[in-house]
Structures are given as structure tokens and as C-alpha cells.
Amino acid sequence: MIHYNSADIANMDRFYRGNLINSVTGFKSANLLATQSKSGIDNVAIFSSVTHLGSDPAMFTFVQRPLGHGVGHTYENLIATGQITLNHIHLGLTNKAHQSSAKYDEDVSEFEQLQMEKEFKKGITAPFVRSAQIQIAASYENEYYIKENRCIIVVCRITDVFLADGLQLEDGFVNLEKAGTMAINGLDAYATTSINDRLSYAKVDEPLKSISF
Amino acid sequence: MIHYNSADIANMDRFYRGNLINSVTGFKSANLLATQSKSGIDNVAIFSSVTHLGSDPAMFTFVQRPLGHGVGHTYENLIATGQITLNHIHLGLTNKAHQSSAKYDEDVSEFEQLQMEKEFKKGITAPFVRSAQIQIAASYENEYYIKENRCIIVVCRITDVFLADGLQLEDGFVNLEKAGTMAINGLDAYATTSINDRLSYAKVDEPLKSISF
């Protein structure tokens, strides 16, 4: 077994450390967050930090890295307009989604640069990624400044959920394997998934059962 | 396509809404967080909310649901001792990991109840899950109270990383498929993964390359 202690981690080359530390917390969600600027530029960017925060109210968070140096268009547009969409990345979108992390100027639409098809839905000004099988619209709710590393945890409230047909079960569950949703390993590896099992609600002294997915 | 708006989501049965909203933000990490209480009881519990926060300093977050009603032993032990371990869930651990979400009394060790083998490492009092191929030790760093739903985002600083042999590349990347690390869909479905591609750092006007994983 390999062991790295605090001093080892602190002294690593920063790219090496980035690859290691981004991998060791497990798989990450793979989403494209899309926004529209006040001047009408449609922005789309990949985020691997989207996390479920709660279901009632329905909310998710994402991590905004320290602002400046050409980053933060997603965050700035969200603050300016109050709206954002979340779009699941599938295998066919992987390369374009990854390329969206390049530092395009704020007056450039990544949709056009990457030839990624967008769509608009009634009552929502932020664009969606057309080919995504699962799309969410959300509004800005709040933010928490993380003083340990100057990141911002942004809280978004889910206002609309759009699901392709055939993904959802009667109990509400949505099958992400069927949606082709990818998972991210580290900074840059993209994985397909295969659901092995779904398990009943766990109770003390009651055996688990497999349930349908 | 199915569309749920804010009113639909607010009016759903809570189990249905939980299944839906926990699914639609994408795949989640699958980790067992382990702690030791002040009185020496070894606790282990599944968390799907662990998220990479930053690499320098190396930190992750997890979401602690509102305390009370027998939940929160992980959080309480972390506050009391300052130490926690993170252990990746592989296929063979899935059932025991899921069962760890049952509300065991605080004087019960889930390691013993679930017959999950633990191990201890020099200088770290919190237990590890022996069969996990990737194990992390971390210390309590800070917390942020989320007023929107009374959750707590807990910030942990990574002090040690332990990797089974054969998982890490020369550039620091750790292959989670080789580690057998699972991903979680919704509240209760467990997926294996297959890395499809790993892509070079994205730059404007430079084509992406596949890199080794």
C-alpha cells in the first residue's frame, strides 16, 4: 500500500497533487451548467462539484473556484440573472463538455464554439443542452464563502425537472444508467456506469431486499 | 419528455420526491466515513455527499443532515475527537455499507453489527475499513450551517492517503475503476463503472488528446 502523509501532500508538484486529491474522494457528478449573461451571451461549462443538498426544498450546491483570471462566468451570470440550468453529460457529449473548461472569453458562447446544440423552454431564459436526457432549471438561492480556500459554495433551488421518457420508475427513482449519465474520476477521466443493485430502506434487525431499478 | 415544475415538486409524496431529487443531480460518491467516539465505540456510516473542495490545502466536504432522532454520530465523534476516515465502497461492501445507514444506537459499533473488518494505523485513532482499496484520514477543519434546510456542510482536511498498489499513475491520477469504487444513483442504487476516456487539459484553440488512465 502507498501512504502519503500531510507533508508529502503539501510538498507535491501541484499537478500531481491535483490529480491525486481530485481522485481520492470518489466519483463525481458530470454536469454542464448553462447560463445567459445580461447581454444575451449563452454560457455553458462543465462542473464536477454539483452535490445534492436536500429534497424539500429541492436544492443542489456547486463549488465556485476563487474568482478572477477569466473564470466564473457561470457564477456571474447566475448572480446577474438568477437562473441556471443543469444538464447531464452522456458519452456523446464528453469531448465537448471537457473542452468547455477552456478559458473562453466572456463574450464568446461555448455553445457556438463547441457546436453544442442548445434549446430554450417556456418561461426560462437560461439555455439547456438539447441532447441531455436529464435537464434541470434552478434559481440562485444563497452562497457560503469558504474561508479555508476562498471558494464559494453556491446553493441553487430546483424549479423544474425535465426527464426523457422511460427513465423514471413509479416510486420516483430515475435510472441514470439508462440516461447515459457519466461519472467523473479525478479532473479528466469519464466513466460509464452499470447499476448493480438497488436496496431497500435499511432498518436495524431487518434484512435488505433488492428493489427494481 | 416529463416536466415537473416547482409546484409539482412541492406537492409530491416525500418518498417519491426524495427518490427523484436525489437522482437528478447525477452520480454521487460512495464512501464509508468512520470515527471513534470518546468512549471508544467505532462508528462507520455510508455517505453519498462527500465532495472534493480543493487540493491545496487538500480538503473535502460532506453534508450532515439536521441533527437529532438518532442521526449524527459521525459528526459528533468528529467534533469530539477531530478525526475521521474515508473509505471507498467496492462491490463486495455494498450491502454492508447500505445497511450502515440504519439507525443503530450510539453505543453500538456498526463494524461489529455488520461484521465489517476494521483496521487501525499508527498515529490515527479513527478506524479504517480494511477491505477498502482507497482510504483517507482527515481532521475536522470547519463547518458551515446552511440556513435553507438546517444542514451542515462539514469541511475536513486530508492528512493521510492510503492507496492499494497498482492504482496510481505517474502523474498522480488514481484509477477508481481499478479500485472497484462504486457510484451511487439516488438514495439506494449502486453502480460499477468503466472509464471510457481521459482527456488532456483543455485550452482554447487546441485539440484535446486522450491520455493514459
Side-chain angles (χ1 to χ4, degrees):
Chain A
M1 219 166 196
I2 297 170
H3 175 208
Y4 298 113
N5 65 23
S6 288
D8 297 331
I9 296 168
N11 292 327
M12 284 172 182
D13 163 78
R14 77 184 181 97
F15 294 103
Y16 186 95
R17 180 175 49 230
N19 282 327
L20 171 66
I21 301 298
N22 274 277
S23 297
V24 294
T25 45
F27 281 102
K28 305 169 174 187
S29 55
N31 290 295
L32 285 163
L33 298 183
T35 52
Q36 191 177 76
S37 72
K38 278 280 193 192
S39 56
I41 307 291
D42 292 314
N43 174 279
V44 61
I46 190 170
F47 281 80
S48 63
S49 59
V50 169
T51 305
H52 171 83
L53 179 62
S55 296
D56 188 22
M59 297 187 295
F60 64 84
T61 60
F62 69 91
V63 177
Q64 175 57 56
R65 303 276 130 207
L67 297 171
H69 308 294
V71 304
H73 302 154
T74 302
Y75 170 77
E76 288 158 6
N77 291 346
L78 173 59
I79 295 289
T81 66
Q83 280 195 351
I84 193 165
T85 76
L86 176 154
N87 307 268
H88 284 217
I89 296 171
H90 55 76
L91 187 57
L93 266 176
T94 305
N95 278 49
K96 291 180 180 184
H98 188 74
Q99 182 61 33
S100 74
S101 63
K103 289 174 182 166
Y104 293 101
D105 288 338
E106 65 178 324
D107 59 352
V108 166
S109 171
E110 293 86 359
F111 281 105
E112 284 163 34
Q113 284 294 308
L114 303 172
Q115 297 179 286
M116 193 187 293
E117 204 177 352
K118 64 188 175 184
E119 67 173 322
F120 291 92
K121 298 181 195 281
K122 196 177 165 189
I124 301 166
T125 54
F128 292 84
V129 177
R130 184 183 286 276
S131 69
Q133 299 294 291
I134 298 174
Q135 303 163 324
I136 292 173
S139 58
Y140 176 86
E141 183 75 23
N142 201 358
E143 63 183 57
Y144 293 87
Y145 177 75
I146 307 300
K147 70 180 174 65
E148 285 70 28
N149 64 355
R150 301 181 297 119
C151 287
I152 301 166
I153 292 183
V154 183
V155 178
C156 298
R157 182 188 284 245
I158 297 174
T159 58
D160 299 85
V161 174
F162 300 89
L163 305 173
D165 294 328
L167 302 179
Q168 194 179 23
L169 300 193
E170 282 186 4
D171 66 0
F173 177 79
V174 181
N175 187 311
L176 299 182
E177 179 189 351
K178 284 187 188 163
T181 301
M182 309 290 285
I184 296 180
N185 177 167
L187 288 162
D188 45 23
Y190 295 86
T192 56
T193 67
S194 174
I195 297 179
N196 178 262
D197 205 355
R198 188 175 172 220
L199 296 169
S200 57
Y201 188 80
K203 294 180 180 174
V204 174
D205 296 327
E206 195 172 293
L208 293 172
K209 288 182 300 197
S210 290
I211 57 179
S212 65
F213 54 87
Chain B
M1 220 167 195
I2 298 170
H3 175 208
Y4 299 112
N5 65 23
S6 289
D8 297 331
I9 295 168
N11 293 325
M12 284 172 182
D13 162 77
R14 76 183 181 99
F15 293 104
Y16 187 95
R17 180 175 49 231
N19 282 326
L20 171 66
I21 301 299
N22 273 277
S23 297
V24 295
T25 45
F27 281 102
K28 305 170 176 188
S29 56
N31 289 296
L32 285 163
L33 298 183
T35 53
Q36 189 176 77
S37 72
K38 277 282 194 190
S39 56
I41 306 292
D42 292 315
N43 174 279
V44 62
I46 189 169
F47 281 80
S48 63
S49 60
V50 169
T51 305
H52 171 83
L53 179 62
S55 295
D56 189 21
M59 296 187 295
F60 65 84
T61 60
F62 70 91
V63 178
Q64 175 58 54
R65 303 276 131 208
L67 297 171
H69 308 294
V71 304
H73 302 153
T74 301
Y75 170 78
E76 288 158 7
N77 291 346
L78 173 59
I79 295 289
T81 66
Q83 282 196 350
I84 192 165
T85 76
L86 177 155
N87 307 268
H88 283 218
I89 296 171
H90 56 76
L91 188 57
L93 266 176
T94 304
N95 277 49
K96 290 179 180 182
H98 188 76
Q99 182 62 32
S100 74
S101 63
K103 290 174 181 165
Y104 292 100
D105 288 339
E106 65 178 325
D107 59 352
V108 166
S109 170
E110 293 86 359
F111 282 105
E112 285 164 33
Q113 284 294 308
L114 304 172
Q115 297 179 285
M116 192 186 293
E117 203 178 353
K118 65 188 175 185
E119 67 173 322
F120 291 92
K121 298 182 195 280
K122 196 177 165 187
I124 300 165
T125 54
F128 292 85
V129 177
R130 183 183 287 276
S131 69
Q133 300 293 292
I134 299 175
Q135 303 163 324
I136 292 174
S139 58
Y140 176 86
E141 183 75 23
N142 201 358
E143 64 183 58
Y144 294 86
Y145 178 75
I146 307 300
K147 68 181 176 63
E148 285 70 27
N149 64 358
R150 301 180 299 119
C151 287
I152 301 166
I153 292 183
V154 183
V155 178
C156 299
R157 182 187 284 244
I158 297 174
T159 57
D160 299 85
V161 173
F162 300 90
L163 305 173
D165 294 328
L167 302 179
Q168 193 179 23
L169 299 193
E170 279 185 5
D171 67 0
F173 177 79
V174 181
N175 187 311
L176 299 183
E177 179 189 352
K178 284 187 188 162
T181 300
M182 309 291 286
I184 296 179
N185 177 168
L187 287 162
D188 45 21
Y190 296 86
T192 56
T193 67
S194 174
I195 298 178
N196 179 260
D197 206 354
R198 187 175 172 221
L199 295 169
S200 57
Y201 188 80
K203 294 179 180 176
V204 174
D205 296 328
E206 196 171 294
L208 294 173
K209 288 182 300 197
S210 289
I211 57 179
S212 63
F213 55 86

